[in-house]
Amino acid sequence: MRHLAVTIGSLLLVASLLSGLAVGSTDHELGVDTDELDENETATLWSKDPNECDVDENETAIRSLARCTDVTFKEPPDTASRWTDSAFDSLEAGPSNTSVYPEYADRNDSVMIEDAHATIFAVQPSTWVHQDDNTTALYAASDGELRGLVDYRVRVPDDENTSHRTVEWSLLEHGVSEVRLKQDGNVLVEQDGSQTPTIEYDLEGAGDSNLTFEADIEARLEENITREAVGSSYSEYHTDTVTVSSEIDLRVYNLTASVYHAEYPDGGAGIAIYQSQPWHGYTLTEEGDAAVRGVWRYYTARNTDWDTLVRSTDGDEDVVESEARPVYVRAFPSEMGPRADPIRDGPSIEEVWGSESSSPNSTLHENVEVDVIDEPYTRSYGLAIQYDELEREHLEVQGIVRGVTAELVEPENGSTREIRESALSVEILEQNDSTATVRVDLRDVETGDSIPLEYPFTADPRAIPIGHATTRGYLTINEQPLWTNSSGVAVATLAEPGSYTIEYHPASWRTHDPAYLGDRTSFGWHPLATASGWLSLLVQVFWISIPFLVALYAGLKLGSFLEVTEETYP
């Protein structure tokens, strides 16, 4: 079913983009003005509804298919935000004697104000990210809007009428005097009050944060008292205030990326990109025809807490279906790890930095059927890529929140690292019939300087890791490790004659500047290559041949003893 969800979802997305159908009735018969969403787009919003493959001849084919499966997107869609904007416009607070609120709202009472609340309706643009089986976090763009509902009911005391006096109560005025948005306890925005405010914000920092939506509610009542005995009348005025709030934990999505470049001797290009927050993808050219895709895919789903609303009056509560339901984008991993696009002639992923995360399958709503990965996957925070057609000025790092692209940051000591060619040379210093001592020299082709491989490089600017632990290059001789000294020279003693291959395995350019390409060379050693070796060989041959010479001599003597002399007759 999950595979079907992705396949059909892709087709539905294409169809919705091409569709020019007029707006039809919305799902759930909601009273929401959706002029900005056509019928096909609206059908993609309700991933939490049960998948029932009912066929309705009056519906479009896409809408009918959307009832069978959940539509997924390759990029964060804007339909959630557009729907939420329209839904919020239809949200209405109650009259003075009625408070309207979702059932989970945190309500307060005061002397004359009851069922007061300030409840967050939506924070946009944002994306709920299903990271693993323990973590589902809301990532909100640093620039965005918070929408909220503030409501209450004013309790006006009953009038009194006795033989001595008459008391009449009247509500003079009431309303929301001010609304505020706080970030981590600090006032970020304050503005004139409204029962359905939209607060524009610019969040500070990045990472975990807490937003508090706060509202001040006031009511002013007049108590008119008439004393019948004395025929006097006067008024007393009563003012009641209450402050209500709600809060939401989120992660400020202020995406930045550290970028490092490498230049190969043949003109090729390499790039390493590091970002601490989840990312959607990289584009490496202006046309976007070379890219790296992350693991995330997307669907949209409503906040079910707003499916119903309570209408509270004095002594009565009615639960009604809500016409205004906020919809959020939700991200889930659908791949084991990042991948290059196109696959054959596209970028080459050289290294991935990240952590292994468990599947978040268990955190999805029971009615959501999408192609979430069922096994551990790599949640990466950095990649190293090689691509010869890289266009540095058009590099873009795209975020998992709609409309967010990363600010590219280059290090103070420069972002470009040079990759040079290396050269290995081998010299046999001495050899005898049992061993050979060789000298291996590793040098920079461009400068002729030696390339040291000792480790660690204390206070050496060549060892500056990019988002990864420092590693070092090394040599092998017939696949056995061989280390150079500080002069880039290695000396090895060989005890076995034969052919040898020495290879330089360079450290990554992400950890060294300058970095190098590898090199290899071969040589052979044999004892016969020396005079002592030949003498030793002759001595060994002599001793080995003695038994054969003795046997030969004995054979000749025995043959002479057994020889028969032939007689000649006339």
Side-chain angles (χ1 to χ4, degrees), residues 413 417 460-466 470 509-513:
N413 58 349
R417 297 190 170 189
D460 189 332
R462 290 184 62 246
I464 306 173
I466 303 172
T470 303
W509 64 264
R510 278 86 66 193
T511 58
H512 287 70
D513 185 24

Side-chain angles (χ1 to χ4, degrees), residues 141-142 206 252-259 271-283 381 392-410:
S142 57
V252 181
Y253 194 59
N254 191 1
L255 189 61
T256 60
S258 298
V259 180
I271 186 171
I273 306 173
Y274 173 85
Q275 63 283 311
S276 60
Q277 293 184 308
W279 56 281
H280 169 72
Y282 308 147
T283 55
Y381 54 77
R392 294 174 58 167
E393 66 276 16
H394 297 298
L395 172 67
E396 184 176 84
V397 178
Q398 300 150 342
I400 49 100
V401 174
R402 178 185 56 83
V404 175
T405 56
E407 176 188 0
L408 304 183
V409 179
E410 296 187 353

Side-chain angles (χ1 to χ4, degrees), residues 473-487:
Y474 62 96
L475 298 176
T476 57
I477 180 167
N478 280 12
E479 299 184 356
Q480 297 300 314
L482 179 66
W483 303 107
T484 65
N485 58 23
S486 59
S487 299

Side-chain angles (χ1 to χ4, degrees), residues 244-310:
V244 288
S245 65
S246 64
E247 58 185 44
I248 186 170
D249 292 325
L250 51 75
R251 294 179 180 177
V252 181
Y253 194 59
N254 191 1
L255 189 61
T256 60
S258 298
V259 180
Y260 300 81
H261 296 273
E263 296 178 353
Y264 288 85
D266 62 358
I271 186 171
I273 306 173
Y274 173 85
Q275 63 283 311
S276 60
Q277 293 184 308
W279 56 281
H280 169 72
Y282 308 147
T283 55
L284 307 180
T285 61
E286 182 178 10
E287 300 298 327
D289 51 359
V292 174
R293 306 299 181 191
V295 301
W296 304 106
R297 200 171 175 92
Y298 309 88
Y299 68 95
T300 56
R302 72 189 186 279
N303 180 354
T304 55
D305 289 336
W306 287 83
D307 281 359
T308 58
L309 294 174
V310 178

Side-chain angles (χ1 to χ4, degrees), residues 267-463:
I271 186 171
I273 306 173
Y274 173 85
Q275 63 283 311
S276 60
Q277 293 184 308
W279 56 281
H280 169 72
Y282 308 147
T283 55
L284 307 180
T285 61
E286 182 178 10
E287 300 298 327
D289 51 359
V292 174
R293 306 299 181 191
V295 301
W296 304 106
R297 200 171 175 92
Y298 309 88
Y299 68 95
T300 56
R302 72 189 186 279
N303 180 354
T304 55
D305 289 336
W306 287 83
D307 281 359
T308 58
L309 294 174
V310 178
R311 297 181 63 86
S312 173
T313 57
D314 187 12
D316 190 19
E317 291 184 356
D318 291 328
V319 178
V320 298
E321 185 177 9
S322 174
E323 295 183 348
R325 303 177 184 182
V327 174
Y328 281 91
V329 175
R330 305 188 81 94
F332 63 94
S334 64
E335 300 285 345
M336 291 289 294
R339 65 196 186 282
D341 184 25
I343 297 175
R344 291 188 177 180
D345 301 324
S348 173
I349 299 177
E350 296 181 333
E351 190 172 359
V352 177
W353 307 308
S355 57
E356 185 177 275
S357 296
S358 59
S359 168
N361 190 17
S362 61
T363 66
L364 272 64
H365 190 275
E366 60 182 357
N367 291 333
V368 172
E369 290 286 342
V370 294
D371 193 25
V372 61
I373 197 164
D374 287 326
E375 54 190 307
Y377 71 99
T378 299
R379 186 155 51 89
S380 59
Y381 54 77
L383 265 71
I385 305 162
Q386 184 175 353
Y387 185 58
D388 293 346
E389 306 298 325
L390 174 68
E391 299 174 4
R392 294 174 58 167
E393 66 276 16
H394 297 298
L395 172 67
E396 184 176 84
V397 178
Q398 300 150 342
I400 49 100
V401 174
R402 178 185 56 83
V404 175
T405 56
E407 176 188 0
L408 304 183
V409 179
E410 296 187 353
E412 295 181 358
N413 58 349
S415 65
T416 301
R417 297 190 170 189
E418 185 180 2
I419 302 176
R420 301 176 185 172
E421 292 182 339
S422 63
L424 277 172
S425 61
V426 182
E427 178 187 358
I428 299 178
L429 298 179
E430 60 181 29
Q431 57 182 335
N432 52 40
D433 58 343
S434 60
T435 61
T437 301
V438 297
R439 169 192 169 103
V440 181
D441 199 3
L442 177 63
R443 292 191 174 273
D444 185 321
V445 170
E446 179 179 336
T447 65
D449 296 337
S450 62
I451 303 175
L453 300 179
E454 62 181 5
Y455 181 80
F457 292 94
T458 305
D460 189 332
R462 290 184 62 246

Side-chain angles (χ1 to χ4, degrees), residues 117-118 150 176 178-180 194 213-217 242-245:
H117 72 98
V150 182
V176 180
E178 183 179 273
V179 293
R180 292 174 295 278
S194 165
F213 170 48
E214 200 170 76
D216 295 332
I217 302 170
V242 64
T243 298
V244 288
S245 65

